[in-house]
Amino acid sequence: AGLSLPGVMPPVARDDALYLDTAFVQDANLMAAVRAGAEELWVLWCLGNTDQYLGGPLRIYVQMLEMAAHGSLHRDLQDISDLNARINAGDSPYGQSRPIRVHLIHPQCPLPLDPNLYLGRVSAADLIARGYRDMNDYLQNANPDGMPLDPSITSMQSPKAGIRFRETMRGPFSLGQTDPKAGAAAGKQAGTELIMHAGIYIEDIERFVSDPQHAGLIHGEIDFSPIGLGLSCLSGKFNLFNPARQPGMKRMVYELGFRHADQDYYLAGYKDVHNNRGFDLWSDTTTLYTCLHQGTDQTGTVIGAGVLRLGVVELLKLASTLRATDADGIRGKWRAITRFGGFFVGELKDSYGPGAS
């Protein structure tokens, strides 16, 4: 790893030598580890690799870095493949007793460029959460023998115009309860509150709208003092206006999994959207009934429950975080946001009638 990018930061002087970031030459020196005897390599790879070549001075500059770095990485993969053939034949020049295994974790789509972070279009917490999600996804299906030593393992999907926002819901919550309303009553009496900070990603707005399940990606943090604060959630599930079993009802699903003190937990929440007597649109769309399970999904034992709500202040904060992602230009961003807004209002009208607008 280096922190002296040429043209941005000066070289670092150490022991009469100058050191520069190797961004133009090599971002991951796998063969140095192999020559030292490594038999298993884990590569965290963040550089974009799609089949699109984009215009604009910044993008062209970044793509030059990416292509150079991928060329070096792919050359190392080929060298390791050739070395593995020698090891299998009984010739191990660096002392490995078995073929070298490589695990490479990378995002599904290229990460936003630095200016997006500086301008507040994406947060450091969002980027770190994406990394957790990518790592968790890989570990769920990892092959102990590693990945094929082929350039295709660095390929990514081309990004599509999407939406992201952050949502905070909080409310009384109690351990030892299995019903959300009973848990909320017990939590209110005991003064225990659970706060869910959720980051929602809809990576392809058109696919999201056409998908009957309206599924997006979710990550976040949980604050619940009886267990812990700032608990990072590595897995989850998000659905907006998901068709429910009951006619005329739709469901919003928020689920987050986390691990603390060697124990897995799964917070499963839902909002039921349906038109009852009176004006219940606000309460339906801002009230999350939640249960906390032991384990990695809803099949685990329920150990706590409560009711979380989205207040007016939190709703305003949510609106301020709504951003279009990977959309070209102002028109593209506006199109993505209005597409999401039109979908949301349309679903409300479908459930509550024209007055919902």
Side-chain angles (χ1 to χ4, degrees):
L3 291 172
S4 298
L5 188 64
V8 179
M9 299 181 69
V12 174
R14 184 179 178 88
D15 298 331
D16 298 324
L18 295 177
Y19 293 88
L20 294 169
D21 192 298
T22 60
F24 284 101
V25 181
Q26 192 169 44
D27 273 25
N29 194 345
L30 305 191
M31 285 305 298
V34 169
R35 287 190 289 269
E39 293 186 340
E40 183 167 302
L41 304 177
W42 286 77
V43 185
L44 308 180
W45 194 251
C46 299
L47 297 183
N49 184 15
T50 73
D51 58 1
Q52 290 183 325
Y53 190 79
L54 304 173
L58 178 60
R59 285 173 169 173
I60 291 174
Y61 172 77
V62 170
Q63 286 167 147
M64 289 168 55
L65 297 178
E66 291 172 341
M67 287 186 289
H70 277 98
S72 296
L73 177 66
H74 296 162
R75 185 167 55 249
D76 272 3
L77 293 177
Q78 182 60 55
D79 289 344
I80 293 172
S81 179
D82 295 341
L83 181 60
N84 282 344
R86 294 176 62 182
I87 294 173
N88 284 327
D91 177 17
S92 182
Y94 305 119
Q96 283 87 356
S97 60
R98 55 176 294 180
I100 298 154
R101 304 173 300 285
V102 175
H103 298 271
L104 187 140
I105 297 96
H106 65 72
Q108 297 175 4
C109 297
L111 296 177
L113 299 183
D114 292 347
N116 291 286
L117 178 63
Y118 301 147
L119 297 175
R121 296 169 184 164
V122 65
S123 71
D126 288 337
L127 293 173
I128 292 170
R130 285 196 195 188
Y132 278 129
R133 186 194 72 199
D134 294 329
M135 174 65 83
N136 189 59
D137 289 347
Y138 182 82
L139 292 176
Q140 294 297 319
N141 302 291
N143 185 336
D145 293 329
M147 304 181 74
L149 300 178
D150 183 272
S152 64
I153 66 174
T154 64
S155 296
M156 300 180 187
Q157 301 172 15
S158 297
K160 305 291 185 181
I163 292 292
R164 71 169 180 86
F165 59 88
R166 290 190 65 85
E167 184 172 355
T168 296
M169 288 177 278
R170 63 178 66 207
F173 198 97
S174 178
L175 294 176
Q177 300 289 335
T178 59
D179 177 75
K181 292 183 179 179
K188 188 173 183 180
Q189 184 175 9
T192 53
E193 180 183 57
L194 187 144
I195 306 174
M196 181 185 73
H197 309 278
I200 310 297
Y201 281 94
I202 298 169
E203 294 185 321
D204 184 342
I205 187 62
E206 295 300 331
R207 185 177 63 185
F208 173 82
V209 171
S210 63
D211 174 15
Q213 302 298 316
H214 307 304
L217 301 174
I218 185 171
H219 65 77
E221 303 82 39
I222 299 295
D223 292 330
F224 184 50
S225 55
I227 296 179
L229 303 178
L231 303 169
S232 295
C233 302
L234 308 185
S235 62
K237 179 180 179 182
F238 173 77
N239 299 94
L240 198 60
F241 300 113
N242 184 19
R245 295 180 180 178
Q246 181 178 333
M249 178 183 291
K250 297 178 182 178
R251 178 164 282 190
M252 300 183 186
V253 176
Y254 295 74
E255 298 179 3
L256 288 168
F258 61 95
R259 186 172 179 83
H260 181 66
D262 295 326
Q263 174 63 56
D264 289 312
Y265 298 93
Y266 197 78
L267 185 72
Y270 64 89
K271 301 176 184 178
D272 278 336
V273 178
H274 59 111
N275 193 8
N276 294 326
R277 283 187 178 180
F279 183 74
D280 61 340
L281 183 153
W282 173 259
S283 61
D284 284 355
T285 56
T286 59
T287 303
L288 189 74
Y289 298 96
T290 57
C291 289
L292 182 64
H293 302 256
Q294 277 188 334
T296 58
D297 55 34
Q298 289 194 65
T299 63
T301 303
V302 178
I303 62 170
V307 178
L308 312 185
R309 286 185 168 83
L310 179 72
V312 175
V313 173
E314 286 76 19
L315 179 61
L316 294 174
K317 289 182 179 178
L318 183 158
S320 71
T321 65
L322 184 64
R323 296 285 187 276
T325 59
D326 297 312
D328 287 331
I330 295 176
R331 286 186 178 182
K333 291 179 172 62
W334 179 248
R335 189 180 301 113
I337 291 175
T338 55
R339 185 77 167 108
F340 176 74
F343 161 77
F344 195 94
V345 171
E347 291 292 325
L348 293 180
K349 285 183 177 181
D350 185 53
S351 295
Y352 297 97
S357 60

mmCIF file of all heavy atoms in Angstrom, residues 1 26-44 72-73 76-77 79-80 83-84 87 92-103:
data_model
loop_
_atom_site.group_PDB
_atom_site.id
_atom_site.type_symbol
_atom_site.label_atom_id
_atom_site.label_comp_id
_atom_site.label_asym_id
_atom_site.label_seq_id
_atom_site.Cartn_x
_atom_site.Cartn_y
_atom_site.Cartn_z
ATOM 1 N N ALA A 1 0.857 -1.194 0.000
ATOM 2 C CA ALA A 1 0.000 0.000 0.000
ATOM 3 C C ALA A 1 0.889 1.239 0.000
ATOM 4 O O ALA A 1 1.958 1.254 0.610
ATOM 5 C CB ALA A 1 -0.905 -0.008 1.222
ATOM 6 N N GLN A 26 1.879 -0.884 -10.209
ATOM 7 C CA GLN A 26 1.450 -2.120 -9.552
ATOM 8 C C GLN A 26 0.773 -1.793 -8.229
ATOM 9 O O GLN A 26 1.385 -1.219 -7.334
ATOM 10 C CB GLN A 26 2.656 -3.022 -9.316
ATOM 11 C CG GLN A 26 2.301 -4.428 -8.898
ATOM 12 C CD GLN A 26 3.509 -5.336 -8.935
ATOM 13 O OE1 GLN A 26 4.581 -4.951 -8.477
ATOM 14 N NE2 GLN A 26 3.367 -6.522 -9.480
ATOM 15 N N ASP A 27 -0.503 -2.163 -8.109
ATOM 16 C CA ASP A 27 -1.233 -1.875 -6.871
ATOM 17 C C ASP A 27 -1.203 -3.040 -5.892
ATOM 18 O O ASP A 27 -1.524 -2.858 -4.720
ATOM 19 C CB ASP A 27 -2.692 -1.532 -7.201
ATOM 20 C CG ASP A 27 -2.848 -0.052 -7.512
ATOM 21 O OD1 ASP A 27 -1.839 0.551 -7.925
ATOM 22 O OD2 ASP A 27 -3.950 0.490 -7.337
ATOM 23 N N ALA A 28 -0.908 -4.228 -6.341
ATOM 24 C CA ALA A 28 -0.854 -5.391 -5.451
ATOM 25 C C ALA A 28 0.295 -6.280 -5.901
ATOM 26 O O ALA A 28 0.211 -6.924 -6.942
ATOM 27 C CB ALA A 28 -2.171 -6.155 -5.486
ATOM 28 N N ASN A 29 1.340 -6.325 -5.120
ATOM 29 C CA ASN A 29 2.547 -7.066 -5.494
ATOM 30 C C ASN A 29 2.440 -8.502 -4.970
ATOM 31 O O ASN A 29 3.033 -8.863 -3.954
ATOM 32 C CB ASN A 29 3.784 -6.365 -4.922
ATOM 33 C CG ASN A 29 5.064 -6.866 -5.549
ATOM 34 O OD1 ASN A 29 5.079 -7.901 -6.202
ATOM 35 N ND2 ASN A 29 6.142 -6.134 -5.353
ATOM 36 N N LEU A 30 1.671 -9.324 -5.677
ATOM 37 C CA LEU A 30 1.440 -10.693 -5.214
ATOM 38 C C LEU A 30 2.713 -11.536 -5.233
ATOM 39 O O LEU A 30 2.949 -12.345 -4.334
ATOM 40 C CB LEU A 30 0.371 -11.368 -6.079
ATOM 41 C CG LEU A 30 -0.987 -10.666 -6.212
ATOM 42 C CD1 LEU A 30 -1.990 -11.590 -6.876
ATOM 43 C CD2 LEU A 30 -1.506 -10.189 -4.867
ATOM 44 N N MET A 31 3.537 -11.345 -6.249
ATOM 45 C CA MET A 31 4.720 -12.191 -6.380
ATOM 46 C C MET A 31 5.735 -11.946 -5.272
ATOM 47 O O MET A 31 6.515 -12.839 -4.937
ATOM 48 C CB MET A 31 5.352 -11.996 -7.758
ATOM 49 C CG MET A 31 4.585 -12.666 -8.899
ATOM 50 S SD MET A 31 4.307 -14.436 -8.632
ATOM 51 C CE MET A 31 6.007 -15.046 -8.586
ATOM 52 N N ALA A 32 5.740 -10.740 -4.695
ATOM 53 C CA ALA A 32 6.648 -10.502 -3.558
ATOM 54 C C ALA A 32 6.273 -11.424 -2.400
ATOM 55 O O ALA A 32 7.146 -11.980 -1.719
ATOM 56 C CB ALA A 32 6.577 -9.039 -3.124
ATOM 57 N N ALA A 33 4.969 -11.592 -2.165
ATOM 58 C CA ALA A 33 4.529 -12.489 -1.095
ATOM 59 C C ALA A 33 4.818 -13.947 -1.459
ATOM 60 O O ALA A 33 5.207 -14.754 -0.602
ATOM 61 C CB ALA A 33 3.036 -12.303 -0.835
ATOM 62 N N VAL A 34 4.644 -14.292 -2.730
ATOM 63 C CA VAL A 34 4.911 -15.664 -3.177
ATOM 64 C C VAL A 34 6.389 -16.008 -3.007
ATOM 65 O O VAL A 34 6.747 -17.084 -2.520
ATOM 66 C CB VAL A 34 4.468 -15.835 -4.641
ATOM 67 C CG1 VAL A 34 4.977 -17.163 -5.209
ATOM 68 C CG2 VAL A 34 2.946 -15.763 -4.751
ATOM 69 N N ARG A 35 7.254 -15.074 -3.399
ATOM 70 C CA ARG A 35 8.696 -15.331 -3.260
ATOM 71 C C ARG A 35 9.114 -15.460 -1.796
ATOM 72 O O ARG A 35 10.132 -16.068 -1.491
ATOM 73 C CB ARG A 35 9.493 -14.224 -3.950
ATOM 74 C CG ARG A 35 9.444 -14.305 -5.477
ATOM 75 C CD ARG A 35 10.440 -13.352 -6.121
ATOM 76 N NE ARG A 35 10.014 -11.965 -5.963
ATOM 77 C CZ ARG A 35 9.260 -11.306 -6.837
ATOM 78 N NH1 ARG A 35 8.830 -11.944 -7.944
ATOM 79 N NH2 ARG A 35 8.919 -10.052 -6.642
ATOM 80 N N ALA A 36 8.308 -14.891 -0.884
ATOM 81 C CA ALA A 36 8.589 -15.029 0.550
ATOM 82 C C ALA A 36 8.014 -16.318 1.124
ATOM 83 O O ALA A 36 8.157 -16.571 2.320
ATOM 84 C CB ALA A 36 8.015 -13.828 1.306
ATOM 85 N N GLY A 37 7.342 -17.120 0.269
ATOM 86 C CA GLY A 37 6.854 -18.425 0.714
ATOM 87 C C GLY A 37 5.363 -18.516 0.973
ATOM 88 O O GLY A 37 4.881 -19.560 1.431
ATOM 89 N N ALA A 38 4.593 -17.463 0.694
ATOM 90 C CA ALA A 38 3.154 -17.492 0.957
ATOM 91 C C ALA A 38 2.470 -18.579 0.144
ATOM 92 O O ALA A 38 2.789 -18.792 -1.026
ATOM 93 C CB ALA A 38 2.533 -16.137 0.641
ATOM 94 N N GLU A 39 1.528 -19.269 0.781
ATOM 95 C CA GLU A 39 0.752 -20.303 0.095
ATOM 96 C C GLU A 39 -0.705 -19.897 -0.105
ATOM 97 O O GLU A 39 -1.425 -20.556 -0.840
ATOM 98 C CB GLU A 39 0.815 -21.621 0.877
ATOM 99 C CG GLU A 39 2.198 -22.242 0.908
ATOM 100 C CD GLU A 39 2.213 -23.606 1.569
ATOM 101 O OE1 GLU A 39 1.267 -23.900 2.332
ATOM 102 O OE2 GLU A 39 3.157 -24.379 1.326
ATOM 103 N N GLU A 40 -1.134 -18.840 0.570
ATOM 104 C CA GLU A 40 -2.519 -18.376 0.425
ATOM 105 C C GLU A 40 -2.532 -16.856 0.470
ATOM 106 O O GLU A 40 -2.001 -16.254 1.398
ATOM 107 C CB GLU A 40 -3.400 -18.953 1.534
ATOM 108 C CG GLU A 40 -4.869 -18.570 1.395
ATOM 109 C CD GLU A 40 -5.771 -19.408 2.302
ATOM 110 O OE1 GLU A 40 -5.739 -20.644 2.169
ATOM 111 O OE2 GLU A 40 -6.478 -18.822 3.142
ATOM 112 N N LEU A 41 -3.139 -16.232 -0.553
ATOM 113 C CA LEU A 41 -3.173 -14.779 -0.664
ATOM 114 C C LEU A 41 -4.621 -14.294 -0.646
ATOM 115 O O LEU A 41 -5.479 -14.871 -1.334
ATOM 116 C CB LEU A 41 -2.505 -14.318 -1.966
ATOM 117 C CG LEU A 41 -1.069 -14.780 -2.202
ATOM 118 C CD1 LEU A 41 -0.581 -14.302 -3.564
ATOM 119 C CD2 LEU A 41 -0.150 -14.272 -1.105
ATOM 120 N N TRP A 42 -4.883 -13.243 0.115
ATOM 121 C CA TRP A 42 -6.194 -12.595 0.142
ATOM 122 C C TRP A 42 -6.018 -11.175 -0.379
ATOM 123 O O TRP A 42 -5.285 -10.375 0.197
ATOM 124 C CB TRP A 42 -6.768 -12.570 1.565
ATOM 125 C CG TRP A 42 -7.244 -13.929 1.989
ATOM 126 C CD1 TRP A 42 -6.474 -14.982 2.401
ATOM 127 C CD2 TRP A 42 -8.597 -14.387 2.019
ATOM 128 N NE1 TRP A 42 -7.263 -16.064 2.682
ATOM 129 C CE2 TRP A 42 -8.570 -15.730 2.466
ATOM 130 C CE3 TRP A 42 -9.819 -13.796 1.719
ATOM 131 C CZ2 TRP A 42 -9.733 -16.485 2.612
ATOM 132 C CZ3 TRP A 42 -10.972 -14.554 1.869
ATOM 133 C CH2 TRP A 42 -10.919 -15.885 2.310
ATOM 134 N N VAL A 43 -6.690 -10.875 -1.489
ATOM 135 C CA VAL A 43 -6.541 -9.586 -2.162
ATOM 136 C C VAL A 43 -7.842 -8.808 -2.042
ATOM 137 O O VAL A 43 -8.904 -9.290 -2.445
ATOM 138 C CB VAL A 43 -6.194 -9.785 -3.659
ATOM 139 C CG1 VAL A 43 -5.919 -8.433 -4.321
ATOM 140 C CG2 VAL A 43 -4.999 -10.723 -3.814
ATOM 141 N N LEU A 44 -7.771 -7.617 -1.469
ATOM 142 C CA LEU A 44 -8.919 -6.711 -1.401
ATOM 143 C C LEU A 44 -8.745 -5.703 -2.529
ATOM 144 O O LEU A 44 -7.890 -4.823 -2.453
ATOM 145 C CB LEU A 44 -8.978 -6.010 -0.037
ATOM 146 C CG LEU A 44 -8.910 -6.938 1.170
ATOM 147 C CD1 LEU A 44 -8.989 -6.138 2.465
ATOM 148 C CD2 LEU A 44 -10.009 -7.985 1.122
ATOM 149 N N SER A 72 -0.873 -5.389 -14.356
ATOM 150 C CA SER A 72 0.137 -5.953 -13.445
ATOM 151 C C SER A 72 -0.442 -7.088 -12.610
ATOM 152 O O SER A 72 0.208 -8.116 -12.399
ATOM 153 C CB SER A 72 0.672 -4.849 -12.524
ATOM 154 O OG SER A 72 1.344 -3.855 -13.263
ATOM 155 N N LEU A 73 -1.662 -6.902 -12.116
ATOM 156 C CA LEU A 73 -2.292 -7.947 -11.309
ATOM 157 C C LEU A 73 -2.512 -9.211 -12.138
ATOM 158 O O LEU A 73 -2.206 -10.326 -11.691
ATOM 159 C CB LEU A 73 -3.632 -7.449 -10.760
ATOM 160 C CG LEU A 73 -4.433 -8.480 -9.963
ATOM 161 C CD1 LEU A 73 -3.702 -8.859 -8.685
ATOM 162 C CD2 LEU A 73 -5.830 -7.969 -9.647
ATOM 163 N N ASP A 76 0.650 -11.109 -12.568
ATOM 164 C CA ASP A 76 0.987 -11.870 -11.357
ATOM 165 C C ASP A 76 0.156 -13.146 -11.272
ATOM 166 O O ASP A 76 0.657 -14.210 -10.871
ATOM 167 C CB ASP A 76 0.747 -11.017 -10.111
ATOM 168 C CG ASP A 76 1.960 -10.174 -9.742
ATOM 169 O OD1 ASP A 76 2.956 -10.206 -10.486
ATOM 170 O OD2 ASP A 76 1.916 -9.475 -8.708
ATOM 171 N N LEU A 77 -1.135 -13.051 -11.610
ATOM 172 C CA LEU A 77 -1.983 -14.248 -11.585
ATOM 173 C C LEU A 77 -1.462 -15.309 -12.550
ATOM 174 O O LEU A 77 -1.446 -16.506 -12.237
ATOM 175 C CB LEU A 77 -3.424 -13.870 -11.931
ATOM 176 C CG LEU A 77 -4.175 -12.992 -10.932
ATOM 177 C CD1 LEU A 77 -5.561 -12.655 -11.462
ATOM 178 C CD2 LEU A 77 -4.276 -13.658 -9.562
ATOM 179 N N ASP A 79 1.681 -15.608 -13.548
ATOM 180 C CA ASP A 79 2.931 -16.130 -12.985
ATOM 181 C C ASP A 79 2.647 -17.155 -11.891
ATOM 182 O O ASP A 79 3.356 -18.174 -11.778
ATOM 183 C CB ASP A 79 3.779 -14.989 -12.431
ATOM 184 C CG ASP A 79 4.373 -14.111 -13.526
ATOM 185 O OD1 ASP A 79 4.380 -14.546 -14.698
ATOM 186 O OD2 ASP A 79 4.808 -12.974 -13.210
ATOM 187 N N ILE A 80 1.636 -16.896 -11.059
ATOM 188 C CA ILE A 80 1.284 -17.845 -9.994
ATOM 189 C C ILE A 80 0.732 -19.132 -10.595
ATOM 190 O O ILE A 80 1.037 -20.238 -10.130
ATOM 191 C CB ILE A 80 0.269 -17.203 -9.025
ATOM 192 C CG1 ILE A 80 0.923 -16.045 -8.262
ATOM 193 C CG2 ILE A 80 -0.263 -18.238 -8.036
ATOM 194 C CD1 ILE A 80 -0.039 -15.231 -7.419
ATOM 195 N N LEU A 83 3.625 -21.058 -11.775
ATOM 196 C CA LEU A 83 4.360 -21.598 -10.632
ATOM 197 C C LEU A 83 3.623 -22.800 -10.041
ATOM 198 O O LEU A 83 4.263 -23.790 -9.633
ATOM 199 C CB LEU A 83 4.544 -20.510 -9.582
ATOM 200 C CG LEU A 83 5.324 -20.903 -8.315
ATOM 201 C CD1 LEU A 83 6.737 -21.366 -8.670
ATOM 202 C CD2 LEU A 83 5.387 -19.722 -7.346
ATOM 203 N N ASN A 84 2.297 -22.736 -9.992
ATOM 204 C CA ASN A 84 1.533 -23.867 -9.460
ATOM 205 C C ASN A 84 1.751 -25.131 -10.297
ATOM 206 O O ASN A 84 1.787 -26.254 -9.759
ATOM 207 C CB ASN A 84 0.043 -23.518 -9.410
ATOM 208 C CG ASN A 84 -0.301 -22.639 -8.221
ATOM 209 O OD1 ASN A 84 0.481 -22.522 -7.284
ATOM 210 N ND2 ASN A 84 -1.478 -22.044 -8.248
ATOM 211 N N ILE A 87 4.926 -26.513 -9.094
ATOM 212 C CA ILE A 87 4.781 -27.127 -7.763
ATOM 213 C C ILE A 87 4.137 -28.501 -7.888
ATOM 214 O O ILE A 87 4.564 -29.470 -7.244
ATOM 215 C CB ILE A 87 3.955 -26.205 -6.848
ATOM 216 C CG1 ILE A 87 4.723 -24.906 -6.566
ATOM 217 C CG2 ILE A 87 3.612 -26.912 -5.532
ATOM 218 C CD1 ILE A 87 3.913 -23.861 -5.819
ATOM 219 N N SER A 92 9.445 -26.686 -6.575
ATOM 220 C CA SER A 92 8.929 -25.561 -5.795
ATOM 221 C C SER A 92 10.074 -24.612 -5.452
ATOM 222 O O SER A 92 10.717 -24.744 -4.399
ATOM 223 C CB SER A 92 8.240 -26.060 -4.518
ATOM 224 O OG SER A 92 7.702 -24.981 -3.775
ATOM 225 N N PRO A 93 10.357 -23.631 -6.300
ATOM 226 C CA PRO A 93 11.533 -22.783 -6.101
ATOM 227 C C PRO A 93 11.454 -21.895 -4.853
ATOM 228 O O PRO A 93 12.493 -21.463 -4.349
ATOM 229 C CB PRO A 93 11.572 -21.936 -7.376
ATOM 230 C CG PRO A 93 10.167 -21.938 -7.885
ATOM 231 C CD PRO A 93 9.634 -23.291 -7.536
ATOM 232 N N TYR A 94 10.258 -21.625 -4.348
ATOM 233 C CA TYR A 94 10.120 -20.739 -3.180
ATOM 234 C C TYR A 94 9.659 -21.475 -1.931
ATOM 235 O O TYR A 94 9.327 -20.847 -0.929
ATOM 236 C CB TYR A 94 9.145 -19.591 -3.497
ATOM 237 C CG TYR A 94 9.537 -18.822 -4.736
ATOM 238 C CD1 TYR A 94 8.689 -18.766 -5.835
ATOM 239 C CD2 TYR A 94 10.773 -18.169 -4.827
ATOM 240 C CE1 TYR A 94 9.041 -18.076 -6.984
ATOM 241 C CE2 TYR A 94 11.140 -17.482 -5.967
ATOM 242 C CZ TYR A 94 10.267 -17.448 -7.048
ATOM 243 O OH TYR A 94 10.629 -16.756 -8.187
ATOM 244 N N GLY A 95 9.613 -22.810 -1.994
ATOM 245 C CA GLY A 95 9.374 -23.609 -0.797
ATOM 246 C C GLY A 95 7.933 -23.942 -0.485
ATOM 247 O O GLY A 95 7.660 -24.547 0.563
ATOM 248 N N GLN A 96 7.006 -23.610 -1.357
ATOM 249 C CA GLN A 96 5.608 -23.964 -1.087
ATOM 250 C C GLN A 96 5.420 -25.477 -1.160
ATOM 251 O O GLN A 96 5.988 -26.145 -2.026
ATOM 252 C CB GLN A 96 4.657 -23.277 -2.093
ATOM 253 C CG GLN A 96 4.396 -21.811 -1.813
ATOM 254 C CD GLN A 96 5.428 -20.884 -2.434
ATOM 255 O OE1 GLN A 96 6.401 -21.353 -3.026
ATOM 256 N NE2 GLN A 96 5.234 -19.579 -2.295
ATOM 257 N N SER A 97 4.608 -25.998 -0.249
ATOM 258 C CA SER A 97 4.355 -27.442 -0.213
ATOM 259 C C SER A 97 3.113 -27.821 -0.998
ATOM 260 O O SER A 97 2.842 -29.012 -1.184
ATOM 261 C CB SER A 97 4.202 -27.909 1.244
ATOM 262 O OG SER A 97 3.116 -27.235 1.878
ATOM 263 N N ARG A 98 2.343 -26.832 -1.447
ATOM 264 C CA ARG A 98 1.120 -27.095 -2.205
ATOM 265 C C ARG A 98 0.853 -25.906 -3.120
ATOM 266 O O ARG A 98 1.449 -24.830 -2.932
ATOM 267 C CB ARG A 98 -0.074 -27.310 -1.273
ATOM 268 C CG ARG A 98 -0.306 -26.181 -0.291
ATOM 269 C CD ARG A 98 -1.554 -26.388 0.549
ATOM 270 N NE ARG A 98 -2.758 -26.327 -0.267
ATOM 271 C CZ ARG A 98 -3.990 -26.479 0.209
ATOM 272 N NH1 ARG A 98 -4.164 -26.713 1.503
ATOM 273 N NH2 ARG A 98 -5.032 -26.398 -0.577
ATOM 274 N N PRO A 99 0.009 -26.061 -4.134
ATOM 275 C CA PRO A 99 -0.275 -24.931 -5.023
ATOM 276 C C PRO A 99 -0.785 -23.709 -4.260
ATOM 277 O O PRO A 99 -1.471 -23.825 -3.241
ATOM 278 C CB PRO A 99 -1.357 -25.495 -5.953
ATOM 279 C CG PRO A 99 -1.120 -26.964 -5.959
ATOM 280 C CD PRO A 99 -0.661 -27.300 -4.572
ATOM 281 N N ILE A 100 -0.452 -22.541 -4.758
ATOM 282 C CA ILE A 100 -0.799 -21.275 -4.108
ATOM 283 C C ILE A 100 -2.259 -20.939 -4.389
ATOM 284 O O ILE A 100 -2.718 -21.020 -5.527
ATOM 285 C CB ILE A 100 0.121 -20.154 -4.629
ATOM 286 C CG1 ILE A 100 1.576 -20.473 -4.275
ATOM 287 C CG2 ILE A 100 -0.289 -18.798 -4.049
ATOM 288 C CD1 ILE A 100 2.581 -19.854 -5.203
ATOM 289 N N ARG A 101 -2.986 -20.566 -3.349
ATOM 290 C CA ARG A 101 -4.400 -20.225 -3.463
ATOM 291 C C ARG A 101 -4.572 -18.716 -3.386
ATOM 292 O O ARG A 101 -3.933 -18.058 -2.554
ATOM 293 C CB ARG A 101 -5.197 -20.907 -2.349
ATOM 294 C CG ARG A 101 -5.012 -22.414 -2.346
ATOM 295 C CD ARG A 101 -5.644 -23.103 -1.154
ATOM 296 N NE ARG A 101 -5.114 -22.671 0.135
ATOM 297 C CZ ARG A 101 -3.944 -23.020 0.632
ATOM 298 N NH1 ARG A 101 -3.123 -23.791 -0.086
ATOM 299 N NH2 ARG A 101 -3.558 -22.606 1.809
ATOM 300 N N VAL A 102 -5.449 -18.183 -4.212
ATOM 301 C CA VAL A 102 -5.705 -16.742 -4.239
ATOM 302 C C VAL A 102 -7.198 -16.493 -4.037
ATOM 303 O O VAL A 102 -8.038 -17.085 -4.724
ATOM 304 C CB VAL A 102 -5.255 -16.114 -5.579
ATOM 305 C CG1 VAL A 102 -5.637 -14.627 -5.621
ATOM 306 C CG2 VAL A 102 -3.750 -16.277 -5.761
ATOM 307 N N HIS A 103 -7.521 -15.630 -3.094
ATOM 308 C CA HIS A 103 -8.887 -15.157 -2.873
ATOM 309 C C HIS A 103 -8.903 -13.661 -3.188
ATOM 310 O O HIS A 103 -8.073 -12.909 -2.674
ATOM 311 C CB HIS A 103 -9.325 -15.382 -1.427
ATOM 312 C CG HIS A 103 -9.342 -16.816 -1.014
ATOM 313 N ND1 HIS A 103 -10.442 -17.628 -1.163
ATOM 314 C CD2 HIS A 103 -8.361 -17.596 -0.467
ATOM 315 C CE1 HIS A 103 -10.161 -18.842 -0.719
ATOM 316 N NE2 HIS A 103 -8.905 -18.852 -0.295
#
